[in-house]
Coordinates of all heavy atoms in Angstrom, one line a residue:
V1 N 1.1 -0.2 -2.1 CA 1.7 0.0 -0.8 C 0.8 -0.7 0.2 O -0.4 -0.4 0.3 CB 1.9 1.5 -0.4 CG1 2.5 1.6 1.0 CG2 2.8 2.1 -1.4
L2 N 1.3 -1.7 1.0 CA 0.6 -2.4 2.0 C 0.9 -1.8 3.3 O 2.1 -1.9 3.7 CB 0.9 -3.9 1.9 CG 0.7 -4.6 0.5 CD1 1.0 -6.0 0.6 CD2 -0.7 -4.4 0.0
G3 N -0.1 -1.3 4.0 CA 0.1 -0.7 5.3 C -0.2 0.8 5.3 O -0.4 1.3 4.2
A4 N -0.4 1.4 6.4 CA -0.8 2.8 6.5 C -0.1 3.5 7.6 O -0.5 4.5 8.1 CB -2.3 2.9 6.6
G5 N 1.0 3.0 8.0 CA 1.8 3.6 9.1 C 2.8 4.6 8.6 O 2.8 5.0 7.4
E6 N 3.8 4.9 9.4 CA 4.8 5.9 9.1 C 5.7 5.4 7.9 O 6.0 6.2 7.0 CB 5.7 6.1 10.3 CG 6.8 7.1 10.2 CD 7.6 7.4 11.4 OE1 7.1 7.1 12.5 OE2 8.8 7.8 11.3
T7 N 6.1 4.2 7.9 CA 6.9 3.7 6.7 C 6.1 3.8 5.4 O 6.6 4.2 4.4 CB 7.3 2.2 7.0 OG1 8.1 2.2 8.2 CG2 8.2 1.7 5.8
A8 N 4.8 3.4 5.5 CA 4.0 3.5 4.2 C 3.9 4.9 3.8 O 4.0 5.2 2.6 CB 2.6 2.9 4.5
A9 N 3.7 5.9 4.7 CA 3.6 7.3 4.4 C 4.9 7.8 3.8 O 4.9 8.5 2.8 CB 3.3 8.1 5.6
D10 N 6.1 7.3 4.3 CA 7.3 7.7 3.7 C 7.5 7.2 2.3 O 8.0 7.9 1.4 CB 8.5 7.2 4.6 CG 8.6 7.9 5.9 OD1 8.0 9.0 6.1 OD2 9.3 7.4 6.8
V11 N 7.1 5.9 2.1 CA 7.2 5.3 0.8 C 6.3 6.1 -0.2 O 6.7 6.4 -1.3 CB 6.8 3.8 0.8 CG1 6.6 3.3 -0.6 CG2 7.9 3.0 1.5
L12 N 5.1 6.4 0.2 CA 4.2 7.1 -0.7 C 4.7 8.5 -1.0 O 4.6 9.0 -2.2 CB 2.8 7.3 0.0 CG 2.0 6.0 0.0 CD1 0.8 6.1 0.9 CD2 1.4 5.7 -1.4
G13 N 5.3 9.2 -0.1 CA 5.9 10.5 -0.4 C 7.0 10.4 -1.4 O 7.1 11.2 -2.3
Q14 N 7.9 9.3 -1.3 CA 9.0 9.1 -2.2 C 8.4 8.8 -3.6 O 8.9 9.2 -4.6 CB 9.9 8.0 -1.7 CG 10.7 8.4 -0.5 CD 11.7 9.5 -0.8 OE1 12.2 9.7 -1.9 NE2 11.9 10.3 0.2
L15 N 7.4 7.9 -3.6 CA 6.8 7.6 -4.9 C 6.2 8.8 -5.6 O 6.3 9.0 -6.8 CB 5.7 6.5 -4.7 CG 6.2 5.1 -4.3 CD1 5.1 4.2 -3.9 CD2 7.0 4.5 -5.5
R16 N 5.5 9.7 -4.8 CA 4.9 10.9 -5.4 C 6.0 11.8 -6.0 O 5.9 12.3 -7.1 CB 4.1 11.6 -4.4 CG 3.4 12.8 -5.0 CD 2.4 13.4 -4.0 NE 3.1 13.8 -2.8 CZ 2.6 14.1 -1.7 NH1 1.3 14.2 -1.6 NH2 3.3 14.5 -0.6
R17 N 7.1 11.9 -5.2 CA 8.2 12.8 -5.7 C 8.9 12.2 -6.9 O 9.4 12.9 -7.7 CB 9.2 13.0 -4.5 CG 8.7 14.0 -3.5 CD 9.8 14.4 -2.5 NE 10.0 13.4 -1.5 CZ 9.2 13.1 -0.5 NH1 8.1 13.8 -0.3 NH2 9.6 12.2 0.4
A18 N 8.9 10.9 -7.0 CA 9.5 10.2 -8.1 C 8.6 10.2 -9.4 O 9.0 9.8 -10.5 CB 9.9 8.8 -7.8
G19 N 7.4 10.7 -9.2 CA 6.5 10.7 -10.3 C 5.7 9.5 -10.6 O 5.3 9.3 -11.8
A20 N 5.5 8.6 -9.7 CA 4.8 7.3 -9.9 C 3.4 7.7 -10.4 O 2.7 8.5 -9.8 CB 4.7 6.5 -8.6
A21 N 3.0 7.0 -11.4 CA 1.7 7.3 -12.1 C 0.5 6.7 -11.4 O -0.5 7.3 -11.2 CB 1.7 6.9 -13.5
R22 N 0.6 5.4 -11.0 CA -0.5 4.7 -10.4 C -0.1 4.0 -9.1 O 0.8 3.2 -9.1 CB -1.1 3.7 -11.3 CG -1.8 4.3 -12.5 CD -2.5 3.2 -13.4 NE -1.5 2.2 -13.7 CZ -1.8 0.9 -13.9 NH1 -3.0 0.5 -13.6 NH2 -0.8 0.1 -14.2
V23 N -0.6 4.4 -8.0 CA -0.2 3.8 -6.7 C -1.5 3.5 -6.0 O -2.5 4.3 -6.0 CB 0.6 4.8 -5.8 CG1 0.9 4.2 -4.5 CG2 1.9 5.2 -6.6
T24 N -1.5 2.3 -5.3 CA -2.7 1.9 -4.6 C -2.2 1.5 -3.2 O -1.2 0.9 -3.0 CB -3.3 0.6 -5.2 OG1 -3.7 1.0 -6.5 CG2 -4.5 0.2 -4.4
V25 N -3.0 2.0 -2.2 CA -2.8 1.7 -0.8 C -3.8 0.6 -0.3 O -5.0 0.7 -0.7 CB -2.9 2.9 0.1 CG1 -2.8 2.6 1.6 CG2 -1.9 4.0 -0.3
S26 N -3.3 -0.3 0.4 CA -4.2 -1.3 1.0 C -3.8 -1.5 2.5 O -2.7 -1.6 2.8 CB -4.1 -2.7 0.3 OG -5.1 -3.6 0.8
N27 N -4.8 -1.5 3.4 CA -4.6 -1.6 4.8 C -5.7 -2.3 5.5 O -6.8 -2.3 5.1 CB -4.4 -0.2 5.4 CG -3.9 -0.2 6.8 OD1 -2.8 -0.7 7.0 ND2 -4.6 0.3 7.7
R28 N -5.4 -3.0 6.6 CA -6.4 -3.8 7.3 C -7.5 -2.8 7.9 O -8.6 -3.1 7.9 CB -5.8 -4.6 8.4 CG -5.0 -5.8 7.9 CD -4.3 -6.5 9.0 NE -3.3 -5.6 9.5 CZ -2.7 -5.8 10.7 NH1 -2.9 -6.8 11.4 NH2 -1.7 -5.0 11.0
S29 N -7.1 -1.6 8.3 CA -8.0 -0.6 8.8 C -8.3 0.3 7.6 O -7.5 1.1 7.1 CB -7.3 0.3 9.9 OG -8.1 1.4 10.1
A30 N -9.6 0.2 7.1 CA -10.0 1.0 6.0 C -9.8 2.5 6.2 O -9.4 3.2 5.3 CB -11.4 0.6 5.6
A31 N -10.2 2.9 7.4 CA -10.2 4.4 7.6 C -8.8 4.9 7.5 O -8.5 5.9 6.9 CB -10.8 4.7 9.0
A32 N -7.8 4.2 8.1 CA -6.4 4.6 8.0 C -5.9 4.6 6.6 O -5.2 5.5 6.2 CB -5.5 3.8 9.0
G33 N -6.2 3.5 5.9 CA -5.7 3.3 4.6 C -6.3 4.4 3.6 O -5.6 4.9 2.8
M34 N -7.6 4.6 3.7 CA -8.2 5.7 2.9 C -7.7 7.0 3.2 O -7.4 7.8 2.2 CB -9.7 5.6 3.0 CG -10.4 4.4 2.4 SD -12.2 4.5 2.3 CE -12.5 3.9 3.9
A35 N -7.4 7.4 4.4 CA -6.9 8.7 4.8 C -5.5 8.8 4.2 O -5.2 9.9 3.6 CB -6.9 8.8 6.3
L36 N -4.7 7.8 4.3 CA -3.3 7.9 3.8 C -3.3 8.0 2.3 O -2.6 8.8 1.7 CB -2.5 6.7 4.2 CG -1.0 6.7 3.8 CD1 -0.3 7.9 4.4 CD2 -0.4 5.4 4.1
A37 N -4.1 7.2 1.6 CA -4.2 7.3 0.2 C -4.7 8.7 -0.3 O -4.1 9.2 -1.2 CB -5.2 6.2 -0.3
A38 N -5.7 9.2 0.4 CA -6.2 10.6 0.0 C -5.1 11.6 0.2 O -5.0 12.5 -0.7 CB -7.4 10.9 0.9
R39 N -4.3 11.5 1.3 CA -3.2 12.5 1.5 C -2.2 12.5 0.4 O -1.5 13.5 0.1 CB -2.6 12.3 2.8 CG -3.3 12.8 4.0 CD -2.5 12.9 5.3 NE -1.8 11.8 5.6 CZ -2.2 10.8 6.4 NH1 -3.4 10.8 6.9 NH2 -1.4 9.8 6.7
H40 N -2.0 11.3 -0.3 CA -1.0 11.2 -1.3 C -1.5 11.0 -2.7 O -0.7 10.6 -3.6 CB -0.1 10.0 -0.9 CG 0.8 10.3 0.3 ND1 2.0 11.0 0.3 CD2 0.5 10.0 1.6 CE1 2.4 11.1 1.5 NE2 1.6 10.5 2.4
G41 N -2.8 11.2 -2.9 CA -3.3 11.1 -4.2 C -3.3 9.7 -4.8 O -3.2 9.5 -6.0
A42 N -3.4 8.7 -3.9 CA -3.3 7.3 -4.3 C -4.7 6.7 -4.3 O -5.7 7.2 -3.6 CB -2.4 6.5 -3.4
A43 N -4.9 5.6 -4.9 CA -6.1 4.8 -4.8 C -6.1 4.0 -3.5 O -5.1 3.8 -2.9 CB -6.3 3.9 -6.0
Y44 N -7.3 3.5 -3.1 CA -7.4 2.6 -2.0 C -8.1 1.3 -2.4 O -9.0 1.4 -3.1 CB -8.2 3.3 -0.8 CG -8.3 2.3 0.3 CD1 -7.2 2.1 1.2 CD2 -9.5 1.6 0.5 CE1 -7.4 1.1 2.2 CE2 -9.6 0.7 1.6 CZ -8.5 0.5 2.4 OH -8.6 -0.4 3.4
A45 N -7.6 0.2 -1.9 CA -8.2 -1.1 -2.1 C -8.4 -1.8 -0.7 O -7.5 -1.7 0.1 CB -7.3 -2.0 -3.0
E46 N -9.6 -2.3 -0.5 CA -9.8 -3.0 0.8 C -8.7 -4.1 0.9 O -8.3 -4.7 -0.1 CB -11.2 -3.7 0.7 CG -12.3 -2.7 0.7 CD -12.5 -2.0 2.1 OE1 -12.1 -2.5 3.1 OE2 -13.0 -0.8 2.1
W47 N -8.4 -4.4 2.1 CA -7.3 -5.4 2.4 C -7.7 -6.8 1.8 O -6.8 -7.4 1.2 CB -7.1 -5.5 3.9 CG -6.0 -6.4 4.3 CD1 -6.1 -7.7 4.8 CD2 -4.6 -6.1 4.2 NE1 -4.8 -8.2 5.0 CE2 -3.9 -7.3 4.7 CE3 -3.9 -5.0 3.8 CZ2 -2.5 -7.4 4.7 CZ3 -2.5 -5.1 3.9 CH2 -1.8 -6.2 4.3
D48 N -8.9 -7.2 2.0 CA -9.2 -8.5 1.5 C -9.4 -8.6 0.0 O -9.5 -9.6 -0.6 CB -10.5 -9.0 2.1 CG -10.3 -9.4 3.6 OD1 -9.1 -9.7 4.0 OD2 -11.3 -9.3 4.4
A49 N -9.5 -7.4 -0.6 CA -9.7 -7.3 -2.1 C -8.5 -6.6 -2.7 O -8.6 -6.0 -3.8 CB -11.0 -6.6 -2.4
R50 N -7.3 -6.6 -2.0 CA -6.2 -5.8 -2.6 C -5.8 -6.3 -3.9 O -6.1 -7.5 -4.3 CB -5.0 -5.9 -1.6 CG -4.5 -7.2 -1.2 CD -3.6 -7.1 0.0 NE -3.1 -8.4 0.5 CZ -3.7 -9.1 1.3 NH1 -4.9 -8.8 1.8 NH2 -3.2 -10.3 1.7
P51 N -5.3 -5.5 -4.7 CA -5.0 -5.8 -6.1 C -4.2 -7.1 -6.3 O -3.4 -7.5 -5.4 CB -4.2 -4.6 -6.6 CG -4.6 -3.5 -5.7 CD -4.8 -4.1 -4.4
D52 N -4.3 -7.7 -7.4 CA -3.6 -8.9 -7.7 C -2.1 -8.6 -7.6 O -1.6 -7.9 -8.5 CB -4.0 -9.5 -9.1 CG -3.2 -10.7 -9.5 OD1 -2.6 -11.4 -8.6 OD2 -3.3 -11.0 -10.7
A53 N -1.4 -9.2 -6.7 CA 0.0 -9.0 -6.5 C 0.8 -9.3 -7.7 O 1.8 -8.6 -8.1 CB 0.5 -9.7 -5.3
A54 N 0.4 -10.3 -8.4 CA 1.2 -10.7 -9.6 C 1.1 -9.7 -10.7 O 2.0 -9.7 -11.6 CB 0.7 -12.1 -10.1
A55 N 0.1 -8.8 -10.7 CA 0.0 -7.8 -11.7 C 0.7 -6.5 -11.4 O 0.9 -5.6 -12.2 CB -1.5 -7.5 -12.0
A56 N 1.2 -6.4 -10.2 CA 1.9 -5.2 -9.7 C 3.3 -5.1 -10.2 O 4.0 -6.2 -10.3 CB 1.9 -5.1 -8.2
D57 N 3.8 -4.0 -10.6 CA 5.2 -3.8 -10.9 C 6.1 -3.9 -9.7 O 7.1 -4.5 -9.7 CB 5.4 -2.4 -11.6 CG 4.8 -2.4 -13.0 OD1 4.7 -3.4 -13.7 OD2 4.4 -1.3 -13.4
V58 N 5.6 -3.3 -8.6 CA 6.4 -3.3 -7.3 C 5.4 -3.4 -6.2 O 4.3 -2.8 -6.2 CB 7.2 -2.0 -7.2 CG1 7.9 -1.9 -5.9 CG2 8.2 -1.8 -8.3
I59 N 5.7 -4.1 -5.1 CA 4.9 -4.1 -3.9 C 5.8 -3.7 -2.8 O 6.9 -4.2 -2.6 CB 4.4 -5.5 -3.6 CG1 3.5 -6.0 -4.8 CG2 3.7 -5.5 -2.3 CD1 3.1 -7.4 -4.7
F60 N 5.3 -2.7 -2.0 CA 6.0 -2.2 -0.8 C 5.2 -2.7 0.4 O 4.1 -2.2 0.6 CB 6.1 -0.7 -0.8 CG 7.0 -0.1 -1.8 CD1 6.5 0.3 -3.0 CD2 8.4 0.0 -1.6 CE1 7.3 0.8 -4.0 CE2 9.2 0.5 -2.6 CZ 8.6 0.9 -3.8
A61 N 5.7 -3.7 1.1 CA 5.0 -4.3 2.2 C 5.5 -3.5 3.5 O 6.6 -3.8 4.0 CB 5.2 -5.8 2.4
C62 N 4.7 -2.6 4.0 CA 5.0 -1.8 5.1 C 4.2 -2.1 6.3 O 3.5 -1.2 6.8 CB 4.9 -0.3 4.7 SG 5.7 0.2 3.2
T63 N 4.2 -3.4 6.7 CA 3.4 -3.8 7.8 C 4.3 -4.4 8.9 O 5.4 -4.7 8.6 CB 2.3 -4.9 7.4 OG1 3.0 -6.1 7.2 CG2 1.5 -4.5 6.2
A64 N 3.7 -4.6 10.0 CA 4.5 -5.2 11.1 C 4.1 -6.7 11.2 O 4.4 -7.3 12.2 CB 4.2 -4.5 12.4
S65 N 3.5 -7.2 10.2 CA 3.0 -8.6 10.2 C 4.2 -9.6 10.3 O 5.1 -9.5 9.6 CB 2.2 -8.9 9.0 OG 1.8 -10.3 9.0
P66 N 4.1 -10.5 11.3 CA 5.1 -11.5 11.4 C 5.0 -12.7 10.3 O 5.8 -13.5 10.2 CB 4.9 -12.1 12.8 CG 3.5 -11.9 13.0 CD 3.1 -10.7 12.3
V67 N 3.9 -12.6 9.5 CA 3.7 -13.6 8.5 C 3.6 -12.9 7.2 O 3.3 -11.7 7.1 CB 2.4 -14.4 8.8 CG1 2.5 -15.2 10.1 CG2 1.2 -13.5 8.8
P68 N 3.8 -13.6 6.1 CA 3.7 -13.0 4.7 C 2.3 -12.4 4.5 O 1.3 -13.0 4.9 CB 3.9 -14.2 3.8 CG 4.7 -15.2 4.6 CD 4.2 -15.1 6.0
V69 N 2.3 -11.3 3.9 CA 1.0 -10.6 3.6 C 0.7 -10.6 2.1 O -0.4 -10.2 1.7 CB 1.0 -9.1 4.1 CG1 1.1 -9.1 5.6 CG2 2.1 -8.3 3.4
V70 N 1.5 -11.3 1.3 CA 1.3 -11.4 -0.1 C 1.6 -12.8 -0.5 O 2.6 -13.4 -0.1 CB 2.3 -10.5 -0.9 CG1 2.1 -10.7 -2.4 CG2 2.1 -9.0 -0.6
D71 N 0.6 -13.4 -1.3 CA 0.8 -14.7 -1.8 C 0.9 -14.6 -3.3 O 0.0 -14.0 -3.9 CB -0.4 -15.6 -1.5 CG -0.5 -15.9 0.0 OD1 0.6 -16.2 0.6 OD2 -1.6 -15.9 0.6
L72 N 1.9 -15.2 -3.9 CA 2.1 -15.2 -5.3 C 1.8 -16.6 -5.9 O 2.2 -17.5 -5.2 CB 3.5 -14.7 -5.8 CG 3.8 -13.3 -5.4 CD1 5.2 -12.9 -5.8 CD2 2.9 -12.3 -6.2
P73 N 1.2 -16.6 -7.0 CA 0.9 -18.0 -7.6 C 2.1 -18.7 -8.0 O 3.2 -18.2 -8.1 CB 0.0 -17.7 -8.8 CG 0.1 -16.2 -9.1 CD 0.7 -15.6 -7.9

């Protein structure tokens, strides 16, 4: 889950209720991202070191960025 705002929180809640086994949150603000991850039992990855997008099963981009936040090979 990319982002740590209201939409990201909603997505994390749904993923938890659906029984998702491994979820990682990444956010430009480490404090906000870590707090959101902790509230939902998710892992946290620094924005610049976010997990390899190509290895993810699903990516939820929950940011207000006007440019792409994920580059795929």
Side-chain angles (χ1 to χ4, degrees):
V1 176
L2 304 179
E6 185 177 331
T7 300
D10 290 345
V11 167
L12 285 163
Q14 291 295 329
L15 289 171
R16 186 174 54 191
R17 284 188 285 284
R22 291 184 307 143
V23 178
T24 301
V25 173
S26 187
N27 191 59
R28 289 175 293 165
S29 163
M34 286 189 275
L36 182 64
R39 283 197 309 271
H40 291 275
Y44 176 76
E46 294 289 333
W47 185 257
D48 291 335
R50 58 194 177 273
D52 179 16
D57 291 328
V58 177
I59 298 171
F60 295 93
C62 305
T63 73
S65 177
V67 297
V69 294
V70 176
D71 292 319
L72 295 176

